[in-house]
């Protein structure tokens, strides 16, 4: 919600600036962004369509490599039994949800030792943490997500899902098929859910063998 309203407010400020400086606008609204920007773009699109039409009538949207399906993303992490290269970023998201949603779970209930103490003393981005979730996280925490009993974190994930709705303007989803930072299933889930809701102007453009970084240039050129 905060990403979407921030983008909306900046759009309002830009429109006001144009009005004050005799810059003519044609009324068309195009949205685009990549990675977190892709997620913010999707959230903004949904907000404008559902709450701010006709103030902002989206003409078209291109969203790249966003983490739209937080529930599936969370399940992916807790079930992974291998090194995840970008696990520190996921820890940052988890730590943020822990604070913002007033879950306030102590680190020794989330992480095994000595990692819990190390994080408590040195912060979430401390060096030397294992990249395998099965090694880093406590089994009780992992199992709570897997079996659906940890409703606090599961609800926090679901509140940030941004894939299962019906856009009414053209939307192009673009994503590298070998993205190991924000996995491709995020865009596939959005495409499938939107089609199931009857959206007729949504397309999915996979970038074959592209990872999160090599796909950025093809996304912007496309």
């Amino acid at each position: 919600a905060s990403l979407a309203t921030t983008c909306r407010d900046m759009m309002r400020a830009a429109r006001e600036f144009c009005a004050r400086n005799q810059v003519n606008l044609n009324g068309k609204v195009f949205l685009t962004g990549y990675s977190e920007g892709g997620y913010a773009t999707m959230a903004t699109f949904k907000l404008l369509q559902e709450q701010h039409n006709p103030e902002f009538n989206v003409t078209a949207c291109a969203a790249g490599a966003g983490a739209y399906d937080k529930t599936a993303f969370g399940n992916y992490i807790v079930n992974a039994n291998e090194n995840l290269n970008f696990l520190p970023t996921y820890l940052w998201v988890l730590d943020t949800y822990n604070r913002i949603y007033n879950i306030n779970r102590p680190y020794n209930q989330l992480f095994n030792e000595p990692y819990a103490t190390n994080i408590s003393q040195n912060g979430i981005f401390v060096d030397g943490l294992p990249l395998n979730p099965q090694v880093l996280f406590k089994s009780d925490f992992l199992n709570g997500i897997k079996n659906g009993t940890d409703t606090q974190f599961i609800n926090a994930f679901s509140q940030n899902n941004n894939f299962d709705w019906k856009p009414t303007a053209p939307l192009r989803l673009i994503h590298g098929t070998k993205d190991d930072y924000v996995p491709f299933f995020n865009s596939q889930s959005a495409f499938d859910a939107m089609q199931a809701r009857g959206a007729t102007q949504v397309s999915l453009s996979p970038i074959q063998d592209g990872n999160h970084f090599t796909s950025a240039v093809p996304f912007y050129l496309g």
Side-chain angles (χ1 to χ4, degrees):
S2 58
L3 286 170
T5 54
T6 299
C7 291
R8 177 207 61 198
D9 292 347
M10 191 64 199
M11 292 170 67
R12 285 174 169 168
R15 186 174 58 188
E16 181 179 327
F17 174 87
C18 291
R20 290 182 177 182
N21 290 274
Q22 292 78 53
V23 177
N24 294 323
L25 300 176
N26 63 12
K28 294 182 178 181
V29 177
F30 296 94
L31 303 175
T32 192
Y34 189 81
S35 191
E36 184 180 2
Y39 177 83
T41 294
M42 189 83 86
T44 303
F45 187 3
K46 186 173 188 291
L47 175 71
L48 297 183
Q49 176 178 297
E50 295 181 351
Q51 299 184 31
H52 298 288
N53 191 346
E55 178 187 0
F56 292 110
N57 187 15
V58 176
T59 306
C61 176
Y68 317 116
D69 191 343
K70 299 293 190 186
T71 298
F73 210 148
N75 289 331
Y76 160 76
I77 294 169
V78 300
N79 284 286
N81 191 12
E82 60 183 340
N83 285 352
L84 300 180
N85 293 326
F86 304 102
L87 188 60
T89 305
Y90 308 152
L91 297 185
W92 168 63
V93 175
L94 181 70
D95 191 49
T96 301
Y97 286 4
N98 196 29
R99 290 185 297 104
I100 295 298
Y101 292 97
N102 295 314
I103 301 172
N104 299 321
R105 198 82 52 84
Y107 288 142
N108 61 11
Q109 292 183 20
L110 298 174
F111 306 110
N112 289 318
E113 292 292 359
Y115 315 119
T117 298
N118 197 4
I119 293 171
S120 296
Q121 294 175 347
N122 300 294
I124 203 74
F125 287 114
V126 63
D127 292 332
L129 298 179
L131 297 179
N132 188 324
Q134 308 305 316
V135 177
L136 176 61
F137 290 110
K138 293 189 75 71
S139 59
D140 286 347
F141 170 68
L142 295 173
N143 291 332
I145 303 296
K146 293 176 185 178
N147 61 31
T149 58
D150 192 337
T151 56
Q152 288 181 306
F153 272 111
I154 290 172
N155 288 341
F157 296 155
S158 66
Q159 286 186 52
N160 288 275
N161 282 339
N162 192 25
F163 69 97
D164 189 6
W165 57 286
K166 182 182 178 181
T168 57
L171 168 64
R172 187 180 184 191
L173 299 162
I174 306 172
H175 211 132
T177 60
K178 291 189 176 179
D179 192 330
D180 62 343
Y181 197 168
V182 181
F184 178 77
F185 65 71
N186 283 277
S187 289
Q188 186 70 61
S189 294
F191 179 72
D192 293 343
M194 290 172 175
Q195 282 211 316
R197 287 183 176 272
T200 59
Q201 301 183 84
V202 178
S203 64
L204 176 60
S205 299
I207 299 173
Q208 293 300 324
D209 299 326
N211 65 33
H212 198 70
F213 304 98
T214 63
S215 298
V217 171
F219 164 77
Y220 284 112
L221 293 176

